Amino acid sequence: MKSNGLHISARQDFIRRGGELIGRSLLFSVASVSAVAVLFIFYFIAKDAFPFFNQEGYGEFFTSPNWYPTGHPPEFGALAIFFGSALVTTGAVVFSVPLGVAAAMCLSDILPFWMRQIFKPTIEILAAIPSVAYGFFALVVFAPLLQENGGFALATGIWIVGLPVATIGVVVMSDVITSMLPFRSKPAALTLGLALLLEAGVILTLFKTSSALYGMEISSGTNALNVSIILGIMALPTIVSVSEDALQSVGRELREGSYALGATRAETIIKVVLPASISGILAAVILGIMRAIGETMVVWMASGNAARIPTPFYNLLQPVRTLTATIAGDMGEADHVTGSSRYHVLFAMAFCLLLFSFAMNLITEAFTRRYRKKLGK
Amino acid sequence: MDLRTRKLLDKSFSALGVIAILFMALFLVVILAPIIAKGSGAFIFRGTVEYRKLMFDIWNRGDEKALAEEMQIVAKARKPVYEMMDDFRRELAAMPSSERRKYRRALNDVEKNIENLLGPNPDDREPVLMRQRYGQTRWDMARKHLKDVLYATEWDYSGGMGVKVYVPRQDFFTGTSIEELFPYIEENIDAMMAPRLTLYLRFLTDDSRDSHFFGGIWPELLGTIYLTLGAMLFAVPMGVIAAIYFCEYAKQGLVISYLRICITTLAGVPSIVFGLFGLAFFLNTIRVSESKSVLAGSLTLALLILPTIIRASEEAIMAVPSTYKEAALSLGAGKWRTVMTVILPAALPGILTGIVISMGRAAGETAPIIFTAAVSVGKALNLDEVFTNPSPALPWNIYNLCTEHEAVDQIRHVQFGMVFSLIAVVLFLNITAIVVRARVQKNLRN
């Protein structure tokens, strides 16, 4: 039977449908490569991680701070390493979250459109710089600087951050306190006096702290502080762009409603926009944490790589060692002893990292979904 | 709260935001400025006569006659140095033994430093190592070594902590025939080194010699190019096809949401874990090659950038107005044909932007290639060797040169040059992407 172009025979129809089915399943199989990859990553990391736990047990790895993988007998206590990862990540978050969220607010609500167009590429370029370049900067430029002028830099930093923040706090405090006093009209002189008094206290405290910091000797520039700052800078682009997305997704209506009630811009952002987008901002923070904890080169090059818990534990000026740096640094030596505990312990660490980032991912996903739902998108 | 206070708070809040953004811009400048400033020093610097000699000896570059003439002039300027040292040696031989020992040690120090600065004594045998065969090739390094010739470094422990002090060697040798040597070197260093502004663009395409003491970064650069292109070769087709599937074919359902979670998970896996996976899977399990290889590294990097490419392509496809698609379908085109002839061309600029950005990412990643592809020292590979051989790569060698190299301080210019080249590549890719995207957005708005 000949086809005349319009009529489709049963056979052609079959071929066409079959072809489409095959095409679809081909497309599906390519699309699921990433899913297969995730499964494979979990499987192959776990496969090499569990021999370690079988050989050495769980107790020492998670509770002992003694990391002597080459000793006789070897000790595989990774507590100090876990702590190092946690410490630098916390430092990075403390550094980058306030800065990043403030920048996101400014980008989404305060700056005019054309300025936003200028600053967005800046953020992208900050995100594009390779981690090894950050590491190089941390090790070759920043570490000597920190070692020689660290005390001065810290003292200046305290003033730059502390003074404006504390001053704003003082103004608010004095205003609130005087309005609580039983006067009919608020006496301006009293408010002013109170503010000056509090401000004097603030300056005194700052002065004491900064002079203590100024006199401090920093024995090595490759320490947790250095790494925290650089990791913070690396996490900034993620935090800014994700939280800006979250802030933007809060519609105009909410903002306009707030303005109509007489709120200032700051009050609108803090009391209306921020609560509405809080899950998105939390997602941004978590993504920032993931970026910081998974980063290898910077910590490997500039953290000092000393596997012990600093004394006191919050001392950022001592060298630390992180999970990623341990994996990167030890695998070169453990590579030719494939099969030994020393090889498998690195996979155990990678497995912990993997589980952590997976959990964080699920949480982020839940948060993002929640704020999308809340805003009806 | 008082109205004035509220206004003040509002203003300071705005100021806070602006300051935060300015800080970010500042970080960018602070990080890039030293890298660009010092990195360009690998390309443009004041090269000494030693540099020209080296270039001629290794690569046969430069004018032989001019070089010979220059060498003569320089040798003439250097001659008194060697003569003075010879004189002093003779004087030394005549000294009583206790004096002799004291001066002998100091003289050895001077000889070593002068050799460092000017190269080996012309009468000596040629040293084995290339780095000992030449003096300082760069004027900035020559200045540093000049200081070592003129001053001895000592540590002063009188204040508890050790403090570095520089003691002029001339004072030590006062009253001997070598005393005049130091002012002579200081005054005639220009004539002895003949510094001249040099443009060394071939830094990018020269092999390194004597473990990066001399030469360029071509093996590293080529390794990075191979790795990046290899990764794109695997990741781009997979990523774009996956994006087409998700946008045009997939129906919302359990499987698709599972796939999406997998993609975000893949995007969140730390890069070092990718490296371990590449080692455990590509090298130890399916054995794509006997040892580390560019192929294994490319595959690992491809997995790393796959989520980025999928997301970017999806966004670009979504951004194509649905009227395009409807028009094509109403003209009787099948789904596949619609995708290939209408949607993909319209989404192409967006997809390309995503590809270019992930190229930058692949070029700069270090952790995934440590165990799968990178070696510290190696030759530039031919194309057919990439399946079996490991290669040096820019990111890895930056790490290697600034932490594990035997003379970290002496090859700073190479390190900075490498970082500069890497950043230049990555930034070039990203700026291209930014510009392309701005164009596309403008077109869409019109």
Side-chain angles (χ1 to χ4, degrees), chain A residues 149-163 206-216 218:
Chain A
N149 312 316
F152 173 72
L154 284 179
T156 325
I158 282 285
W159 277 100
I160 290 176
V161 175
L163 195 61
L206 277 176
F207 189 74
K208 271 192 173 163
T209 334
S210 69
S211 58
L213 284 174
Y214 186 74
M216 203 153 50
I218 297 179

Side-chain angles (χ1 to χ4, degrees), chain B residues 429-443:
Chain B
L429 289 173
N430 273 275
I431 288 170
T432 317
I434 289 171
V435 170
V436 168
R437 197 181 40 210
R439 283 248 170 100
V440 172
Q441 277 174 354
K442 218 181 205 173
N443 282 350

Side-chain angles (χ1 to χ4, degrees), chain A residues 24 27-28 30-35 37-42 44-45 47-48 95 99 102-103 105-107 110-111 113 117 119 121-126 128-134 136-137 139-141 160 168 171-172 175-176 186 217 233 236-237 240 262-267 269-270 290 294 296-297 300-301 324 327-328 331-332 335 338 343 346-347 350 353-354 357-358 361-362 365 369, chain B residues 1-2 5-10 12-14 16-18 20-25 27-28 30-32 34-35 161 237-238 241-242 244-246 249-251 255-256 258-259 261-266 268-274 276-277 279-281 284-285 303 306 310 335-336 357 364-367 370-371 395-396 398-399 402-404 412 415-416 419 422-423 426-427 430-431 434 437 441:
Chain A
R24 270 187 88 99
L27 282 183
F28 177 75
V30 174
S32 49
V33 163
S34 39
V38 168
L39 288 185
F40 271 37
I41 288 176
F42 267 95
F44 278 96
I45 300 293
K47 198 185 93 177
D48 273 325
F95 177 76
L99 205 60
M105 285 173 184
C106 185
L107 275 178
I110 294 169
L111 289 185
F113 183 73
Q117 296 301 91
F119 278 116
T122 314
I123 297 168
E124 271 173 78
I125 289 176
L126 214 51
I129 295 177
S131 58
V132 71
Y134 277 111
F136 183 76
F137 176 82
L139 176 67
V140 176
V141 183
I160 290 176
I168 295 172
V171 172
V172 175
D175 194 76
V176 169
K186 274 202 288 185
E217 284 283 346
I233 294 176
L236 264 177
V240 173
T264 61
R265 187 154 56 186
E267 286 161 352
I269 296 175
I270 290 173
M290 279 166 66
T296 311
M297 295 319 286
W300 192 16
M301 288 161 93
T324 49
I327 298 173
M331 188 48 95
D335 205 9
T338 311
Y343 174 79
L346 302 179
F347 278 87
L353 273 178
L354 195 57
S357 69
F358 183 59
N361 233 317
L362 289 185
E365 196 80 345
R369 202 167 294 162
Chain B
M1 244 189 277
D2 195 31
T5 324
R6 285 174 58 199
K7 275 190 178 159
L8 180 74
L9 278 181
D10 188 43
S12 46
F13 183 77
S14 303
L16 201 71
V18 173
I21 286 191
L22 289 181
F23 257 111
M24 287 181 67
F27 291 149
L28 191 66
V30 165
I31 288 171
L32 287 185
I35 290 176
M161 289 275 281
M238 282 200 289
I241 290 175
I244 291 173
Y245 181 77
F246 283 125
Y249 285 86
K251 297 186 184 72
V255 179
I256 298 304
Y258 167 71
L259 283 185
I261 289 179
C262 279
I263 292 175
T264 45
T265 310
L266 195 63
V269 172
S271 55
I272 187 79
V273 177
F274 275 105
L276 278 192
F277 171 71
L279 172 71
F281 182 65
N284 289 348
T285 306
L303 284 184
L306 190 58
I310 294 181
K335 205 168 204 176
W336 182 244
I357 287 178
E365 274 293 344
T366 321
I370 303 174
F371 317 129
W396 166 250
I398 290 169
Y399 166 78
C402 72
T403 56
E404 289 170 2
R412 282 275 182 242
Q415 298 162 13
F416 272 104
V419 180
L422 182 64
I423 284 193
V426 172
L427 287 194
N430 273 275
I431 288 170
I434 289 171
R437 197 181 40 210
Q441 277 174 354

Side-chain angles (χ1 to χ4, degrees), chain B residues 205-266:
Chain B
T205 56
D206 276 346
D207 283 350
S208 93
R209 292 300 162 100
D210 195 8
S211 61
H212 282 288
F213 269 90
F214 308 117
I217 56 170
W218 177 237
E220 287 80 18
L221 194 62
L222 190 69
T224 296
I225 292 173
Y226 281 147
L227 280 167
T228 313
L229 290 184
M232 302 319 286
L233 211 62
F234 294 112
V236 168
M238 282 200 289
V240 175
I241 290 175
I244 291 173
Y245 181 77
F246 283 125
C247 289
E248 299 297 325
Y249 285 86
K251 297 186 184 72
Q252 290 302 315
L254 209 61
V255 179
I256 298 304
S257 58
Y258 167 71
L259 283 185
R260 285 191 184 280
I261 289 179
C262 279
I263 292 175
T264 45
T265 310
L266 195 63

Side-chain angles (χ1 to χ4, degrees), chain B residues 25-88:
Chain B
L26 183 75
F27 291 149
L28 191 66
V29 173
V30 165
I31 288 171
L32 287 185
I35 290 176
I36 291 174
K38 291 199 179 165
S40 50
F43 297 91
I44 305 170
F45 56 94
R46 299 184 76 184
T48 62
V49 62
E50 300 289 325
Y51 168 80
R52 292 185 281 280
K53 194 166 115 202
L54 172 97
M55 280 292 139
F56 184 78
D57 287 356
I58 303 179
W59 283 289
N60 214 0
R61 278 176 209 151
D63 183 2
E64 189 172 3
K65 238 166 107 188
L67 181 69
E69 272 170 30
E70 198 178 25
M71 288 303 294
Q72 262 182 355
I73 300 170
V74 169
K76 211 169 138 198
R78 288 177 184 186
K79 207 172 165 209
V81 174
Y82 296 116
E83 281 174 359
M84 272 187 252
M85 286 208 292
D86 280 343
D87 285 349
F88 184 64

Side-chain angles (χ1 to χ4, degrees), chain A residues 88-318:
Chain A
V88 295
T89 309
T90 315
V93 167
V94 168
F95 177 76
S96 64
V97 166
L99 205 60
V101 174
M105 285 173 184
C106 185
L107 275 178
S108 83
D109 279 73
I110 294 169
L111 289 185
F113 183 73
W114 63 270
M115 277 175 95
R116 228 179 290 167
Q117 296 301 91
I118 297 176
F119 278 116
K120 280 244 167 136
T122 314
I123 297 168
E124 271 173 78
I125 289 176
L126 214 51
I129 295 177
S131 58
V132 71
Y134 277 111
F136 183 76
F137 176 82
L139 176 67
V140 176
V141 183
F142 193 47
L145 215 67
L146 198 63
Q147 195 165 335
E148 278 156 32
N149 312 316
F152 173 72
L154 284 179
T156 325
I158 282 285
W159 277 100
I160 290 176
V161 175
L163 195 61
V165 171
T167 308
I168 295 172
V170 160
V171 172
V172 175
M173 280 277 282
S174 54
D175 194 76
V176 169
I177 290 173
T178 40
S179 65
M180 284 197 307
L181 295 176
F183 292 117
R184 194 165 294 163
S185 65
K186 274 202 288 185
L190 189 65
T191 318
L192 195 69
L194 196 63
L196 284 179
L197 200 68
L198 287 173
E199 185 70 19
V202 163
I203 290 178
L204 200 69
T205 323
L206 277 176
F207 189 74
K208 271 192 173 163
T209 334
S210 69
S211 58
L213 284 174
Y214 186 74
M216 203 153 50
E217 284 283 346
I218 297 179
S219 56
S220 163
T222 52
N223 55 30
L225 180 69
N226 180 340
V227 174
S228 292
I229 291 175
I230 302 292
L231 285 183
I233 294 176
M234 292 177 75
L236 264 177
T238 318
I239 293 177
V240 173
S241 55
V242 177
S243 42
E244 201 219 333
D245 267 358
L247 291 171
Q248 291 257 297
S249 66
V250 177
R252 282 192 76 84
E253 301 83 3
L254 278 179
R255 292 191 170 90
E256 280 163 5
S258 167
Y259 289 138
L261 289 173
T264 61
R265 187 154 56 186
E267 286 161 352
T268 305
I269 296 175
I270 290 173
K271 292 186 179 160
V272 178
V273 180
L274 205 57
S277 60
I278 192 70
S279 35
I281 287 178
L282 283 179
V285 172
I286 292 177
L287 286 175
I289 292 177
M290 279 166 66
R291 176 96 209 250
I293 207 166
E295 174 50 45
T296 311
M297 295 319 286
V298 172
V299 287
W300 192 16
M301 288 161 93
S303 70
N305 286 331
R308 56 186 163 79
I309 298 175
T311 43
F313 69 89
Y314 51 82
N315 190 348
L316 283 173
L317 294 175
Q318 286 182 5

